[in-house]
Structure formats: structure tokens, C-alpha cells
């Protein structure tokens, strides 16, 4: 599929399927086989980010981003102290 998409001409690849393992595999192939310079993968399970980092693949985790936003919203609102 990557060959059909002319991956050899790509400057970047975003692996954004719904499956973490597939994203890792596609990102690895793009990086190591086709020498794509910029590879970024979506990872839903934040505990898997270390695996991606071991392969030098940058990640974005919607789960972590959402959790960070929830925490920021909670922290920005002055909640009364619990008595």
C-alpha cells in the first residue's frame, strides 16, 4: 500500500489508523525501509508511547491530550475547598 501511495516521494508520513500496533508498524516501515524523514504516529494507549520512542517515532496521543485538557479545565476553575 505504501508503494502504491508513492511513499518514496514522501517528505512526511502520519500513521493515524485506529490501531496502535498498525500505526507503529507503518511508521517503522516508512522510517526504516523508505527513509521518510518525518514520521508521526497516533497512539491511543499512552503506555505504548515508550515503545514508539524506542524506535525514534514521534507520537501524539489523543488520550493524553484529552486528559491534559480535562485537568487544565478543572484546575482553571476555582473549586471551593472541601470542608
Amino acid at each position: 500500500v505504501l508503494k502504491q501511495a508513492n511513499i518514496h516521494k514522501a517528505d512526511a508520513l502520519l500513521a493515524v489508523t485506529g490501531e496502535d500496533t498498525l500505526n507503529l508498524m507503518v511508521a517503522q516501515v516508512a522510517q526504516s525501509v523508505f527513509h521518510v524523514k518525518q514520521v508521526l504516529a497516533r497512539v491511543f494507549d499512552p503506555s505504548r508511547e515508550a515503545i514508539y520512542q524506542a524506535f525514534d517515532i514521534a507520537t501524539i496521543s489523543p488520550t493524553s491530550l484529552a486528559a491534559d485538557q480535562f485537568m487544565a479545565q478543572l484546575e482553571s476553575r476555582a473549586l471551593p475547598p472541601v470542608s
Side-chain angles (χ1 to χ4, degrees):
V1 173
L2 293 175
K3 283 183 181 179
Q4 291 173 339
N6 291 320
I7 189 75
H8 64 281
K9 295 180 181 179
D11 294 322
L13 176 116
L14 306 176
V16 293
T17 74
E19 298 180 36
D20 288 351
T21 53
L22 181 57
N23 289 343
L24 176 58
M25 183 185 69
V26 169
Q28 279 184 287
V29 169
Q31 191 174 56
S32 62
V33 174
F34 294 103
H35 308 288
V36 177
K37 292 179 181 155
Q38 291 186 305
V39 176
L40 183 64
R42 176 170 54 192
V43 57
F44 289 101
D45 183 350
S47 68
R48 292 181 175 165
E49 285 184 289
I51 298 167
Y52 287 74
Q53 290 172 356
F55 289 102
D56 199 30
I57 296 169
T59 61
I60 291 184
S61 172
T63 306
S64 293
L65 291 173
D68 292 345
Q69 286 298 311
F70 278 118
M71 290 304 296
Q73 286 294 317
L74 288 172
E75 291 169 356
S76 71
R77 298 169 192 238
L79 298 176
V82 178
S83 305

